Amino acid sequence: MTDNSDPAPDLGVLTKGESFIQARLTRDFDHSQAVVWAALTDPAKIVEWLAPGQIEPAVGGAARLDFVDSGIVIDSRVSAYEAPRLLEYSWSSPGEPLRPLRWDVEPNGQGATLTLTLQSPDGEDVARSCAGWEAHLEMLAAALEGVPIKFPFERFKATREAYKGLLPG
């Protein structure tokens, strides 16, 4: 893998693999590991920042999220699960290429550090994917503060352009 050594501030780091691009987006929150974990796994909390759906808490469990406004449906299986620190599934539907999505939640003092690692197959618009997750991470931060927000299109547009400049060659 080759690493993009000049990431923009506040954006993830993109790495080129053999047939994919991997992105790592990290956020620090002033909320405990348990609170951040609940936001990732509790259906009543997931809907506040991501989409309606459910992620069954076990390897092999269903991971189904329905992004009603965009028509995108994630329908996959949990591939790694270690509460309260690791959750992994593919943000794909059956018949689509695998797009692994991994959430790592680590304690950080009184708060927690969340690292989102995602992979996009070569040929897909990784800048769009990263920008979408950047927007959802902003929604997560707001939801953790108790003030959920709608999808921040301005953040999406700005980070999509920024990620285009970060794409590894």
Side-chain angles (χ1 to χ4, degrees):
M1 292 178 143
T2 57
D3 191 14
N4 180 345
S5 59
D6 187 29
D10 300 328
L11 294 181
V13 176
L14 301 181
T15 307
K16 175 76 174 117
E18 188 172 315
S19 59
F20 61 88
I21 294 178
Q22 177 177 287
R24 290 178 56 89
L25 289 63
T26 303
R27 297 291 185 279
D28 290 319
F29 295 109
D30 293 331
H31 298 276
S32 70
Q33 181 183 37
V35 169
V36 174
W37 181 256
L40 299 178
T41 58
D42 179 343
K45 297 190 183 307
I46 295 170
V47 71
E48 293 180 346
W49 68 275
L50 191 56
Q54 183 171 359
I55 299 168
E56 293 177 355
V59 172
R64 183 167 171 75
L65 300 166
D66 188 350
F67 296 81
V68 179
D69 292 339
S70 69
I72 295 171
V73 175
I74 292 175
D75 186 6
S76 68
R77 294 280 170 206
V78 174
S79 52
Y81 188 89
E82 295 175 26
R85 62 168 214 82
L86 171 63
L87 173 63
E88 184 178 275
Y89 51 92
S90 178
W91 53 292
S92 311
S93 289
E96 293 183 344
L98 287 179
R99 297 179 191 96
L101 184 70
R102 178 184 174 110
W103 305 93
D104 290 286
V105 185
E106 296 297 331
N108 183 355
Q110 297 297 312
T113 298
L114 173 68
T115 302
L116 167 60
T117 306
L118 60 118
Q119 289 184 9
S120 293
D122 282 348
E124 291 192 357
D125 186 349
V126 71
R128 180 179 184 265
S129 299
C130 289
W133 288 108
E134 289 283 352
H136 281 289
L137 287 174
E138 187 170 305
M139 293 172 71
L140 172 60
L144 287 170
E145 295 302 322
V147 288
I149 61 173
K150 294 192 179 290
F151 188 86
F153 284 103
E154 290 305 315
R155 171 84 173 151
F156 172 81
K157 290 189 289 188
T159 56
R160 186 176 188 185
E161 287 307 309
Y163 273 110
K164 286 179 182 178
L166 294 178
L167 292 172

